[in-house]
Amino acid sequence: MSKIIGKSLPNIPWQDKPEGYTMPVWRYSENPIIGRNGNKVSNSVFNSAVVPFENGFAGVFRCDSRSISMDIFAGRSRDGIHWEIEDEPIHFEGADEEILHREYRYDPRVCFLEDRYYITWCNGYHGPTIGVAYTYDFKKFVQLENAFLPYNRNGVLFPEKINGMYALLSRPSDTGHTPFGDIFVSFSKDMEFWGHHRHIMGPIPGDESAWQCTKVGPGPIPIKTDEGWLLIYHGVITTCNGFVYRMGVALLDLEKPWKVLARSKEYILAPHEYYECVGDVPNVTFPCAALTDADTGRIAIYYGCADTVTGMAFTTVDELLAAARR
Amino acid sequence: MSKIIGKSLPNIPWQDKPEGYTMPVWRYSENPIIGRNGNKVSNSVFNSAVVPFENGFAGVFRCDSRSISMDIFAGRSRDGIHWEIEDEPIHFEGADEEILHREYRYDPRVCFLEDRYYITWCNGYHGPTIGVAYTYDFKKFVQLENAFLPYNRNGVLFPEKINGMYALLSRPSDTGHTPFGDIFVSFSKDMEFWGHHRHIMGPIPGDESAWQCTKVGPGPIPIKTDEGWLLIYHGVITTCNGFVYRMGVALLDLEKPWKVLARSKEYILAPHEYYECVGDVPNVTFPCAALTDADTGRIAIYYGCADTVTGMAFTTVDELLAAARR
Amino acid sequence: MSKIIGKSLPNIPWQDKPEGYTMPVWRYSENPIIGRNGNKVSNSVFNSAVVPFENGFAGVFRCDSRSISMDIFAGRSRDGIHWEIEDEPIHFEGADEEILHREYRYDPRVCFLEDRYYITWCNGYHGPTIGVAYTYDFKKFVQLENAFLPYNRNGVLFPEKINGMYALLSRPSDTGHTPFGDIFVSFSKDMEFWGHHRHIMGPIPGDESAWQCTKVGPGPIPIKTDEGWLLIYHGVITTCNGFVYRMGVALLDLEKPWKVLARSKEYILAPHEYYECVGDVPNVTFPCAALTDADTGRIAIYYGCADTVTGMAFTTVDELLAAARR
Amino acid sequence: MSKIIGKSLPNIPWQDKPEGYTMPVWRYSENPIIGRNGNKVSNSVFNSAVVPFENGFAGVFRCDSRSISMDIFAGRSRDGIHWEIEDEPIHFEGADEEILHREYRYDPRVCFLEDRYYITWCNGYHGPTIGVAYTYDFKKFVQLENAFLPYNRNGVLFPEKINGMYALLSRPSDTGHTPFGDIFVSFSKDMEFWGHHRHIMGPIPGDESAWQCTKVGPGPIPIKTDEGWLLIYHGVITTCNGFVYRMGVALLDLEKPWKVLARSKEYILAPHEYYECVGDVPNVTFPCAALTDADTGRIAIYYGCADTVTGMAFTTVDELLAAARR
Amino acid sequence: MSKIIGKSLPNIPWQDKPEGYTMPVWRYSENPIIGRNGNKVSNSVFNSAVVPFENGFAGVFRCDSRSISMDIFAGRSRDGIHWEIEDEPIHFEGADEEILHREYRYDPRVCFLEDRYYITWCNGYHGPTIGVAYTYDFKKFVQLENAFLPYNRNGVLFPEKINGMYALLSRPSDTGHTPFGDIFVSFSKDMEFWGHHRHIMGPIPGDESAWQCTKVGPGPIPIKTDEGWLLIYHGVITTCNGFVYRMGVALLDLEKPWKVLARSKEYILAPHEYYECVGDVPNVTFPCAALTDADTGRIAIYYGCADTVTGMAFTTVDELLAAARR
Amino acid sequence: MSKIIGKSLPNIPWQDKPEGYTMPVWRYSENPIIGRNGNKVSNSVFNSAVVPFENGFAGVFRCDSRSISMDIFAGRSRDGIHWEIEDEPIHFEGADEEILHREYRYDPRVCFLEDRYYITWCNGYHGPTIGVAYTYDFKKFVQLENAFLPYNRNGVLFPEKINGMYALLSRPSDTGHTPFGDIFVSFSKDMEFWGHHRHIMGPIPGDESAWQCTKVGPGPIPIKTDEGWLLIYHGVITTCNGFVYRMGVALLDLEKPWKVLARSKEYILAPHEYYECVGDVPNVTFPCAALTDADTGRIAIYYGCADTVTGMAFTTVDELLAAARR
C-alpha cells in the first residue's frame, strides 16, 4: 500500500465507496455542498479551495456576483461540508499599490507551506496572470508580486520546497476562452522571482485519451506520496457544442516534478450528474482542492460544477495511483 | 412610492413574492405557462408579446414550426395565463406586395398606441429588419413599411409619442448570431419614415457587470413612471460554451429617452430553472412583454425560456426602480 | 397501404403509438435502453447499429471509453432491447496491415447483404473516412479496403445491389466538426473500387425547413418499400449555442436512388427528452439503425441520445411515407 | 446612341481610348493623380468625390493621417486632375451637438441636388453609419441627422428626387471588415426621416460572376440616361489572401430604381497596375465619383487605389451600357 | 548520372543555368510567357498543363474570365513558349449528362497514357472533386466519371500503370480555402472505379521545413527515373498576411509510389519575382506541368504566378534528385 | 538640444536628411542593405540586430533558410552596411540540455551590458518564449535559461541595470499570429529568475492612432537620453487584407521605465517602398536594432522589410523626441 506523506486529518469529510461502484472517484451523496447562494451576493460558488485550519477548515471561494463580477472570499467550516462564506471579498494588503489594484480574481488555490497559507489565483493585471498572497489566520491577507507575466491561469504551489526552491505549477494561456493549454512548473528562491521553467505535460492529441485533447491544467495542491507527487488535473475536449471539462490524475517525480511517472488515460470524474451538466456553463467538473489523511490514505476533492455550484468527491491514494497507472 | 403612469389592470396575473426571496423578480409557480405544443404546429413557443384586450388578453406569439420555420401567431386568453393560440400564422394585408412577401418572422412585440395595437417583429427582408403592422381586433392585421434597412432586431415601440413623434427602440445587428449589440432609439412623424437616431446604451465591458458584456437589447414596451421610462432588457455574456441571456432594467429620461438615468448592475432574472437551462437553445431568458397595473404598481413579465417555452415572472415598479439604481 | 419489401420479423421490439400522440415517430417508454455503462469500459454508448441475427439480434456499438477513445464493439440481445455488449473492441482481420492499423472507429452501421453482414463506420486513416468489413457470425470480422479517400463520415450500404452494383451512401466532410454536409451515393462492382458518385441531397437553406439548414447525413440502412427507398437521416441547425441534431426521412427512387421522390419538411424526432438534451453533447438525436417487419410495416429505430446513451423509437412505413410527403 | 440626361461639361478631364484596348474603361496615362502626400498631413488619399464647381472642380477627399486617423477634407482644382486639398479636415456646423461629435469619417460622396451640394460619408456614431451634410460653397458645411441606424457604409444619393422623394443608396454592414454586402435604396421627403427601403441587388454566388461573389456596394452618384440610371459599383471576391475590390456597372429603372435592368457579368476595371495592387491594402480599386458630359457622353471616374492613392479612368455612356448588358 | 525513363524531346524549351546561380531551378529569362490576356476573354492565365504534341506542343489552360468564371481551354504552340489559346472553353462529350454538367473547372493536368491524352482537373460537382477526360487530338474531348467524391483537388495521373492499375495522385480538401492538405494515391483497373487509397505525405509541422507546414499537393505528372518517380509539388505556409505557395520535389518508389524515398527540405522555387509576388493572389508559384527530354535529362516546368500569369522554369533530373535528397 | 547618454560612435553609418523631407526618419538611399541571399543558405534576412564591435560592427541575424527554418546567425561588418553573415547558425553552449534543445529561433536583439553582449530572441520551447544568451566575442555563445514561460516574443534588454536589476522588455503573445500585444518590463537580479513585471503600454483603440490599434511590441535596445529612455517600437493595424507593421517611438522614465512620458501619435516609418510592401509577408517594417553616436545625436535604425530583406534608416535624438511628443 502506498503512503501519503503528510499529516493526519482524522476529521476529513468521508463516505465509503458505494457497493459495486467501479470508478476511482465517487461523489458525496448530498452534492452539491454549496449552492448558487453560498453567500448573500453570489450568483454562483465554484472552483474554490479549502484547507484544514485550527479545529476545522478554512477556505477561499470564488463567488461570482449577480453582476457576474468575479472575486474571492474567505470562508470557515467545522466539518468541511457546511460552509459560512463571508459577504465581502478578501481585502488584500501589500507593498505595492500597482499590484494591489483589483481587476478581477478567480479560481483560487490555498497551500500551507512552511509557516503560513499561500493563496494563488487567476489575477487580472492587463490580462490574466497568477496572483500570490499569504495569510496566517484567514483574516489578514498580504499580497505579493504576481508570479508571472500575463497570460496565465491555474497557479498551483507545491506544499514544500523542491531542491531548495518554491515550485509553482501553471497553465500559460491567451486572453480569451483559450483553446490550448499545457502544464508547466516554475521555481523561485524567494517567492518573488521565478525561473527554471519546465514543461510537464500537454494535451494528448488524437484518439488515445481524447477527453484531454484540447488542454490540461493543474487542479489541487499536489499530494506527496512515497511514490511521487499526485497531481489531480483538469482535461478538456472540444465538442461541436463547446468544451467539456473532466478530471484526471498524474504522478510526478518527487525530485524532478517535471518528469511524469504516470498519467491517467481514463478520466477519473466527468460531468454526469445534473448539477455538473446543467448550469451557467454546462458540462464542467473543475477540481481546485483536496484534503488528505496520511493515516488512512483518504482524499476528499472539492470541485466546481457547471461553473455554478460546488461538489465534493472521495477517493484514496491507492485508487489514484492505480488510476494514474492504468 | 413611485407610480406607473398608465391604466388600471385589476385582472393582471399575479402572485405575491415568496417569503424570504430576495431577488427583485420572482417566477410564476406554475411555469412554464406555454409548452412546446402551444398550438397544433409548434415545435416551441417563446419570445412572445401580450396586451390587455377587451375583457381579457390578446397576444402575438412566436411559434417555430416542426420544420423550424419561424412565424408569428395571434392568441387570446381570459386570464393571461392560459392561452389559445391560432394554428395559422397571422396573415398580413397591406399596400405593397414586396413588403408583404414573407421570408421569416420572429420575436414580436405588441404596443397599444393612440387607437390601435402596433406589432413590431424581426422581419426577413434580404436580412433581418424590423417589421411593423397594426390591428384593431387581432383579426385583421395591416402591414406597413419596414422601419429600417437590414440588419436589425428587437424593434420595440414606446407606448406614446415623445416630442410629437413615434419612438422606436432597436438593436442593430449583423446577419448571423451577432456577437455585438447596442440599444438605439429612432423617431418618426408618420410611422413610415424614420430618423433622428440616438444611441442609448451598449454592453458593459470588463468585470463590473459582465452578464451584459457581449450585447444588450430592448425587451418589453417601456413602462412609463413618474421617474422615467422603465426599460426591461436582455443582456448577454459569451462563455466557452456559448451565449447566456439574462434580464436587466434601465430607467430612461421621459423627454429624452436616450438619456440613461439608472441601469441595473446586477441581473434581475437569469436562467436557473430547468426549463430555462435546457431546451433548443440552453440558458436563455428573453423578455418580450410586460403587463402593468397603475393602481398597485404590479408588473407581470412574459419571457422566452431556452428558446423553447414561455414563462411568466412578477415584480413591481418599486422593485425595478430599486434594481435599476442598485 | 404501402409495403416494406423485406423479411418478416415477428419479434420486432414494439409499442403502439400512445393515444393522442400526433408525431410520426414515438419513443420507447423505457428509454434509454442502453446507458453510459453499456459495457465494462464505456463512458457512453450511442450511434450504434443492430440487425436480426439467429433467433434474436446482434449489433455493433459505438462505445467511447473512459479515455474517450472511440471504438466499436459487438453485442447480442434476445429481444432487441436488453443488450450484452462485449468489453473488448472488435478485432479485425484482413489482407493489408496498413488498412488494419487502427486510428479510431465510430458511428457503425450494419447491413445484411447477399450472404453476410457488412459493417461500415467512420474510420481514421489520416483523417476520417469510411471503413468496410464483413462478418458471418459477429465473431470473426474481416476488414476490406477503405471505401474512400478522407474526409468522409456516415457510410451506409444499401441492403442489395442496385443495377448490379453495391451502393454506398456517405457524407463527405472536413477534418473537424464539419459545418457543411450533403448526402452522396457511390457504387462498386467488388466492394473494393468505388465510383459513379451521385449527389442525393444537401441541407435546405433559409426558413423553409431550418432544422436541416447546416448539414444532413444518412442514418440507418435504407428500407425498401414498394414506393422507393425510405432513408431516415439526420439534419443539423446551428444555434448561437451550437449544433442541434434532429431526424428526418426521405424517399429515394428504387432504381436511381439519387433521385429524391419525397423529403420531410418537418423533423420526425428531435431532442425533447432529458436524456436527449443533456449529456456529453447536448441536443443530439442521431439514428443509425432500424428494424423492420414486412408483415406489419412496423419499424423500430435505434438512435444515439446526446452522444451519451442509446434510445429506441417506433414508427411504421405508412407514418414515414406520410411524413416524407408532408 | 444613348444619352446622358444632364449638363454639359466641356472641360471634363479626358483622354481617348488607347488603340487596340478592348475593355470598356481605360486608365488615365498619368495615374495616380493624387499620391500619398495629397496634403500636409496625409498618409494616403483615396476613395474621394469630386464635382464641377464654378469654373473648375471641387471635391471632398478621404485623407488618412499619419496616425491613420480617417477624416474628410475639401479640395479645389482647375482641371480636375491637379488638386489642392486643405490641410485641415472639414469643420461641420449643425443643430445637434450629439450628431456633430466626430468619431471618424471616410469614403465621402458629393451630389449636387436642387440647389446645393450634399455630402454623404461613412460616419462613426457608435458604429459606422451614413453621415449627411450640405454646402453651397465648399467652405461652410452644415451637418444633418445621420440617415440610418448603424451599421452601414457607402451612402450614395441620387441627383434628383424620384417620385417626389430623395433617394439614397447604401450597403448595410457589420462592425468590422464585413464579409457580406447588398445594395439597397431608401427614400425620404425631408432628408431627415427615411423609409421605403427596397433591395436592389446582392453578390452573385457561384462561378457565374465570381469577382462580385462576396459583396457589392454603390460607387459614384448614379448617372441619368435615357435608358435608366447607370450605377457604377464595387464588387468583392474573397481569395486565400484576402479581398479583391473590382468595378462593375448596373442599369436601374428610372422610376423604380430598385429594378435592375442590366448588370455587368464582367468587371469593368480591376487592380492590374502597380499602384492598384501594392499599397496599404493591396488589390483595391474603389470608385466614388464620376464626372459626365451630356454633350459627348464622356465619363471620368475617380477611384481609390490600394487604399493609398487616387486614380482616374475614362469611359462613355455607350461603353457602360454595353458592359452592363454583356 | 541519373536517367529519365521516357522519350526524347529535342525541341524542349531550354536555357542554361545562369552563371553563379545556386538554386536547383532557374526561371526563363522572358517570364512570364503568358500574360493576363492569353486569349480574348481572359482575366488571367495560370496553373496550366502542356505536353509534346505532333511537331510541337499542346496544352490545357486555366483561363479565368473577366467575370472570374473559371474554365479550361485548349491551346497550341510550336516552341512551347508562344501559345495560341482558344477563346472558347473546352467542350466535353461523354456518356452521362449529370457528369457533363459544368459548375466550374480549374487547375488542369494533362497526361499521355497508353494511347491518348488524359486531362484531370478540379471539377465542380456539388463541391470540388477530380474531373477526368481524354482526347486524342485536343479537338474532341471525352469526359469520364469524376474520380472521387468531393472534396478534392489536384488530381494528377501517373504516366503508366503501376502494378497493372492506373494510379492517381490527389489532395483531399474541404469546401473553401482549405487550411490543410495531404497527398494520397489511389488506384483503378478501369479509370472509373477507384480504391486502394494510400497516404503518401502530408505537411511538415514545426520548423524543420516550414514552407510546407500548412498543406502540400501534387504538381506536374510524375517523372519516371531509374531511381524512382520524381514528383514536383506545391507546399504552403500560413503567414499573418495569408498563404504563400512554393515548389518542392519528392522521390517516390517506382513500385509502391506511396513510399517516399526522398523529399526536399528546401523549396526549389518560391515567389521572388514581381510577377510571382503581385497579382490577383499575391505570393503564389504553382507548378502544373513539366516537359522532359530523356536524352539530356532536361526538364521545363510550367507554373502559375500569383494566380495571374504563367511562367516557365528549367532544371534537370540531377538537380531535382539532389534537391530531393538534400 | 537633448543628449544621448552613451558612447561616441564616429563611424556610425550616416546620411543627412534629404532636402524637403519632413518625416522624422529617412531611409538609406541604397536600401535594402541585405538582400534575400545574405548568406549561402538564406531565403530572407530580416529582423536582425547589430552593435559596434572592435573596430567595426557585429550582429546577430535572422536568416530563414530555404526550408523556411528560422534561426539566428552571427555576422561581421567593417562599416555597418556591408555584412558578412556566417553560413552556419549560432551554436549555443550551456548548462542544461533541455534548454539548449533547439525548436526555432527568430527576431534577435543584441545588448552590450556590463562586460559582454547579451542576445535575446524568440525561442521555441513548447511555444515561443524569450531565449537569453551571451557572448564576449561573437564566436562562443553561452545560452542561459529562457526568461519566461511561453508564450512571449520580442525580448529586449535595457543596456544597464535599473535600480540594481536587469530589466527586460517583452510582448506576451499566444501560439499563432497573435492579434493582441502589450509591452511589459520585467526585472531580475541574476539574469535567471525574473519578476516585478510591469505593464508599460498597449495598443491605442479607435481612430486616434489607428496604425497601432491591434498590437505594439518593443524594437531596438532602448536609447538612454537625459530626458528618458527612447524606445523605438512596432505598431500593427488589421486591414481586410492582413496586418500592417509600422514604427513608432516612446519616451520612458529613466528610473521607472514602465512610466510612459511621451508616445508618438503618428508613425515614424511605414511600408511605402517596394521592398517594404512586396515580399514573403507584404507591408512590414520591423525595427530590431539602432546604433547611436552620443557626440552628434545620430541614430541608425536597422529594420526588417516585408519579412524578406533588411533596411537601414536614419534619425537623431531630437527628431525622435519631437516625434514622441507630437
Side-chain angles (χ1 to χ4, degrees), chain A residues 281-294:
Chain A
V281 182
N283 284 345
V284 179
T285 52
F286 194 92
C288 285
L291 299 173
T292 61
D293 176 29

Side-chain angles (χ1 to χ4, degrees), chain A residues 98-129:
Chain A
E98 174 134 358
I99 291 300
L100 289 176
H101 174 74
R102 175 194 173 277
E103 288 183 18
Y104 49 80
R105 304 183 180 112
Y106 61 83
D107 293 359
R109 271 72 164 188
V110 181
C111 183
F112 185 77
L113 207 165
E114 294 173 335
D115 60 345
R116 69 193 78 178
Y117 300 90
Y118 282 95
I119 326 296
T120 51
W121 69 93
C122 181
N123 190 41
Y125 177 72
H126 301 276
T129 186

Side-chain angles (χ1 to χ4, degrees), chain F residues 83-156:
Chain F
W83 287 88
E84 290 186 9
I85 303 174
E86 296 183 7
D87 296 322
E88 290 293 324
I90 290 172
H91 170 77
F92 287 102
E93 306 174 15
D96 191 326
E97 276 310 308
E98 173 134 359
I99 291 300
L100 290 175
H101 174 74
R102 175 193 172 278
E103 288 185 17
Y104 49 79
R105 305 185 180 109
Y106 61 83
D107 293 359
R109 271 74 165 188
V110 181
C111 182
F112 185 76
L113 206 166
E114 295 173 336
D115 60 347
R116 69 192 78 178
Y117 300 90
Y118 282 95
I119 325 297
T120 51
W121 68 93
C122 181
N123 190 41
Y125 177 72
H126 301 275
T129 186
I130 304 304
V132 184
Y134 66 83
T135 185
Y136 291 98
D137 54 9
F138 287 87
K139 289 174 185 158
K140 175 175 167 174
F141 292 82
V142 179
Q143 185 171 0
L144 307 175
E145 289 287 320
N146 292 321
F148 305 124
L149 283 175
Y151 305 96
N152 204 316
R153 284 166 200 177
N154 296 298
V156 179

Side-chain angles (χ1 to χ4, degrees), chain D residues 246-277:
Chain D
R246 293 178 172 94
M247 264 184 237
V249 65
L251 185 68
L252 310 181
D253 185 82
L254 284 176
E255 294 303 307
K256 299 183 179 177
W258 56 92
K259 302 294 182 195
V260 179
L261 306 179
R263 178 178 177 183
S264 57
K265 211 175 91 175
E266 299 186 354
Y267 61 76
I268 59 172
L269 191 87
H272 290 184
E273 297 298 321
Y274 180 89
Y275 55 89
E276 297 161 341
C277 294

